[in-house]
Structures are given as C-alpha cells and as structure tokens.
Amino acid sequence: MTVQTALEQADAGLDASLNRLFDLLRIPSISTQPEHAADCRKAAEWLVSTLKDIGFDASVRETPGHPMVVGHAAGPEGAPHVLFYGHYDVQPVDPVSLWHSAPFEPVMVKGPTGDMEITARGAADDKGQVMTFLEACRALRAADGALPLSITVLIEGEEESGGVNLMPFLQANRDELKADVALICDTGMLARGMPAITTMLRGMVGEEVTVTAANRDLHSGMYGNAARNPIQVLCDILSDLRDGATGRVTLPGFYDGVPVIPEETRALWRKIGPTDEEGLAPVGLSLPAGEIGYSALEQTWCRPSCEINGISGGYEDKGFKTVLPSKAMAKVSFRLVGDQNPEKIRAAFRAHVQARLPADCTADFVAHGGSKASIVSDTMPFLPPALKALEAEWQHPAAVIGCGGSIPVVTEVQDALGMDSLLIGFGLEDDRVHSPNEKYDLTCFHKGIRSWIRVLYALTGQAPQ
C-alpha cells in the first residue's frame, strides 16, 4: 500500500467522517450523572457497531460501572501491535444558559481564526479525538483492505467520573490487551498548526471535604458569633493550604519527589512556548499565579498545584436569607508531578483539615480519584518515527511537551500492562474543554485523521511510499 492512497481516501471521505462524528456527539454520554447511564451504553454500542463496520472484532464489555469497548484487528505477521485508548464519556454541560447552541446538537461555526469549528460537548474531549483514529483506520482499510499493523482499541466510559473500573479491567484482561505501545489521543498540540507529543503528565488527587458545626441550620441573629460558622471554619482551613508570600503549598512533605527541571529545558520551553501574557490572555488574565519564580507554562507542565474547585454552604438561591449553616463543603484537587505519592498527599490534606478543626466541629471526606504523574522516556523507540510522521503532515517540527492535565490511564497501562504510551492529540488551548461551547477545529479533525494514517504506517518501521 501507499500512504498517499490512504490520505486521499481520508480527504474524499471527510464529509462522511464528520457525519459519523456528529452522530456520536449527539449521544449525551455524561458518565457522572446516573440519569445518563443508558446514554453511556448507547455510545458504547455505537462505537462497537462502528468498529465492526471498519473490520474490527469488537464487543461491549461489562464492568461494575459503565461498559468498556474493546476491538481487535490483525495486521501483517511481524508488524508491531498497538493499543489505542480513548473515552466516550463526557463532562456535564452546566451551565446550559452559557451555550450558544444545544450541547448535544453539534454545529459548525466559523471561529475567530477563520477556521470552521465543531461545537458540541465532547467535540474535543474525547469523541472528536477518538474518531480521528477510527476514521484513519477506515481510510487505511479502504485504501488497501488491511491495516499496516495489529491494533487493539480500548474505549472506556468513566474517564470523566474517576475511572475506578479501568485498572481492574486492565488487570483482568492483561493478556488480551498487551501490545508493544499504547496510543492515547486525549491531549493537544503545542499551538495551532504545531503538532506535539506529550511526554509529561501531572497526576491528581481529588478530595471532597464537608465540615459540620451545629446539628441544624441556625438563625444568624440568634446564634451569630455564639455558634461556629462552618463556612468560616472551612475558608480558614483552605486559606492555610498556601503560603501567601511564596505561593507554595504548605502540606508537610508536599514537595517530596518533585524533580528539578534543568535550566536548559526551561530555556527551551521559553523558546517554543507562549509567554505568560500570551498564555493567559485568552482567558482574560495576564499574571501567573501559584509559586513565585515560575512561568505560567512551567506552573502547568512541571510544578504541582493545589486548587479549590468548588465550595458551597448555607443559602445559595436568589434573594437573601440570614442563615448560619450547619454544613459547608469544598472540593479540592492536587495536580502531582515527578514521584509525588497520591495517597501521602491525600493523607496530608486530611491531617491538615483535622488539625485546624474546632473541637465541636467534624469533617467528613470523600475521595475522588488519585493517580501518579507519568513521564515518557525520550529513548522510547516509537517516539522518533511518530514525531517525523507528525512533522510530515503538519509541515512543522513536532515538539515534545508537558501537559498540566492528568490522564490516569498512562500510569495504569504502565503498571497493569507494562507498556509505554505515546500521547498524540490534536486539541487546542481554546477548545473550551469542560466548559460551555466546547469545540474542535475542523482542521484538527481532518489533519488528525491524516496524522494517524502517517503515524500508524511510520510505527511499522518502513519508509512511507
């Protein structure tokens, strides 16, 4: 076969590829909301049907939560075997009032750069990314009737809600899922038109804490000052998580295992990455927060963080109510780097809260996932050909970058299957992932398909024809 024939198939079939993507985007597969359990199953079944149409032996695989999708397609004898991972579940859509169109009715609109954008929940995270890979496989099949290597596809339905069933599934199906390398399409490019492979991902610890004071809500006039206010207690506790002068997290041992990034690496990042102003301007900011002495890019690529993701308590409806609440709640996440231990961080946070509680208050905790950071070795043999394939498609050198987000599957694949991963994605910083009006550029979708065609062929070790 020739790569060019498959690329021509991808170009000719782009409209049909978009129609299939739109069909998947219309399924409201919100994994964290129980009322959408049937939609998650519908998305899984849709993907199985699509994989079978491409020629994969595919099936829905049950878990205690939402189902997995697994598909297999054999390539030539002696060719590498890759495991592709993605997820079909999506984030909730609230606040719906901020969407310019219905979240699950995809539309194409012209973006500020002039490129057409696909707007819908899941367009970039992760349905659009998953479909770039599947449509590449379709084009390869159409061009030659076969794939250049063996491919196993694993698509889960709980990535956006903790992914608690993924690791047990990987362990239980280790022999079936083992391959030479994992391909993960849940990341982005360095910038528009600048492809990249992510080799550093932060881990994460999620914690929900509820502080309880009185045994019921109280009248703030009758009990104010006399009774503890759990919102005040919680705010005081949370404010102590950071040192106001340095921006450093104050939990004991928090920075154990945090690597020192060489100055030459930081200098390279300053050369290829955006300035603080450029990176923050799209969200209406200009000054980096966090630790003093690190750029905004460094804060997300190589430094750990502590963020308050939500806080509530008392009267939150319209109008005013003079209530002294019984409870207050906060959701806090820690992004981890290097060898930071998620469970030690979790224990340190809980000890921090308990040490600052007044004697007549209590705290309850709910864990919301935990994963270590991951680093892909720059000596991994599949990395150079993948970089060259991306450069050939985008006509721009492909960068090796870090990412502030967390993709627990990378470490889970390493731990359960003993495999390294290549994180190749085509998202952009302005894709509004997890926010209203999430979008995926048409160019990213189209060239993403073409990129995977080149990458899959390049991984065989043969020169493109």
Side-chain angles (χ1 to χ4, degrees):
M1 68 163 284
T2 67
V3 170
Q4 188 58 39
T5 304
L7 295 175
E8 290 170 358
Q9 287 285 342
D11 294 344
L14 180 59
D15 287 345
S17 296
L18 282 169
N19 287 336
R20 285 185 285 269
L21 171 59
F22 280 28
D23 286 344
L24 180 57
L25 290 173
R26 290 188 180 101
I27 304 173
S29 48
I30 305 172
S31 61
T32 194
Q33 296 178 343
E35 62 268 29
H36 287 287
D39 294 313
C40 289
R41 181 167 295 276
K42 182 179 179 180
E45 292 171 347
W46 187 95
L47 285 163
V48 166
S49 177
T50 296
L51 284 165
K52 288 181 176 179
D53 187 51
I54 300 171
F56 282 77
D57 176 13
S59 60
V60 171
R61 307 288 284 274
E62 301 300 332
T63 77
H66 299 302
M68 304 277 182
V69 173
V70 177
H72 300 284
E77 186 175 351
H81 182 187
V82 301
L83 170 69
F84 175 82
Y85 164 88
H87 62 91
Y88 64 77
D89 64 319
V90 300
Q91 283 276 322
V93 298
D94 58 304
V96 176
S97 61
L98 296 182
W99 284 80
H100 299 153
S101 56
F104 293 107
E105 187 49 55
V107 296
M108 292 270 284
V109 298
K110 182 175 287 189
T113 65
D115 197 4
M116 297 302 294
E117 299 176 349
I118 305 160
T119 300
R121 173 57 88 228
D125 185 24
D126 185 38
K127 292 178 179 178
Q129 305 258 48
V130 166
M131 290 301 288
T132 61
F133 186 85
L134 299 191
E135 292 301 310
C137 292
R138 185 185 298 276
L140 286 162
R141 284 280 200 195
D144 197 50
L147 298 171
L149 37 60
S150 294
I151 299 175
T152 295
V153 170
L154 171 63
I155 306 175
E156 73 157 315
E158 296 178 335
E159 198 274 347
E160 301 289 10
S161 55
V164 296
N165 291 302
L166 179 60
M167 187 61 167
F169 187 84
L170 294 175
Q171 293 171 329
N173 298 278
R174 185 181 189 279
D175 292 341
E176 178 185 0
L177 299 175
K178 189 77 171 69
D180 296 308
V181 65
L183 305 176
I184 298 175
C185 193
D186 199 9
T187 53
M189 301 196 296
L190 177 61
R192 193 175 303 276
M194 300 171 64
I197 296 180
T198 301
T199 60
M200 291 180 290
L201 282 169
R202 294 195 292 184
M204 195 189 81
V205 170
E207 278 285 283
E208 181 176 328
V209 56
T210 300
V211 172
T212 302
N215 58 16
R216 63 183 185 276
D217 287 355
L218 304 173
H219 188 293
S220 65
M222 302 298 292
Y223 286 92
N225 278 355
R228 296 280 184 188
N229 185 326
I231 297 178
Q232 183 66 57
V233 171
L234 186 56
C235 287
D236 290 343
I237 290 172
L238 296 177
S239 68
D240 281 347
L241 284 171
R242 280 193 183 273
D243 182 289
T246 66
R248 288 173 64 87
V249 177
T250 60
L251 297 181
F254 182 77
Y255 291 94
D256 292 350
V258 175
V260 176
I261 302 298
E263 180 53 37
E264 55 266 30
T265 299
R266 298 180 71 183
L268 175 62
W269 288 351
R270 286 192 292 270
K271 182 178 179 181
I272 68 173
T275 65
D276 292 341
E277 293 77 9
E278 291 169 342
L280 294 171
V283 296
L285 299 172
S286 60
L287 302 176
E291 295 176 81
I292 301 299
Y294 293 93
S295 69
L297 184 145
E298 290 170 335
Q299 299 276 14
T300 55
W301 283 12
C302 69
R303 299 302 295 175
S305 71
C306 167
E307 298 296 343
I308 302 164
N309 303 127
I311 188 165
S312 65
Y315 184 69
E316 298 181 69
D317 210 338
K318 294 180 180 179
F320 198 83
K321 182 179 180 182
T322 54
V323 63
L324 199 164
S326 169
K327 300 176 183 291
M329 181 276 293
K331 297 182 180 182
V332 181
S333 65
F334 301 89
R335 301 283 179 171
L336 313 183
V337 300
D339 291 324
Q340 283 181 292
N341 185 306
E343 293 313 310
K344 286 185 178 180
I345 300 297
R346 190 187 309 281
F349 171 72
R350 295 185 178 188
H352 172 95
V353 173
Q354 295 287 5
R356 288 160 177 77
L357 274 180
D360 55 355
C361 293
T362 60
D364 297 294
F365 301 91
V366 177
H368 288 281
S371 62
K372 293 183 66 177
S374 61
I375 299 176
V376 176
S377 171
D378 57 8
T379 62
M380 202 250 277
F382 293 108
L383 182 60
L387 290 168
K388 290 181 180 178
L390 291 172
E391 179 177 350
E393 175 57 35
W394 293 86
Q395 293 297 294
H396 190 286
V400 173
I401 63 172
C403 176
S406 303
I407 305 179
V409 67
V410 177
T411 52
E412 291 174 335
V413 163
Q414 177 64 51
D415 293 343
L417 306 181
M419 292 162 48
D420 286 326
S421 299
L422 285 176
L423 290 96
I424 303 174
F426 308 100
L428 298 172
E429 285 292 332
D430 64 356
D431 280 342
R432 299 184 289 272
V433 172
H434 291 198
S435 298
N437 305 302
E438 178 182 348
K439 63 86 175 172
Y440 197 42
D441 279 23
L442 176 60
T443 296
C444 293
F445 180 67
H446 184 194
K447 291 182 75 65
I449 297 171
R450 290 173 56 94
S451 295
W452 279 121
I453 291 171
R454 294 183 187 272
V455 168
L456 289 175
Y457 198 80
L459 295 183
T460 66
Q462 303 177 54
Q465 301 176 17

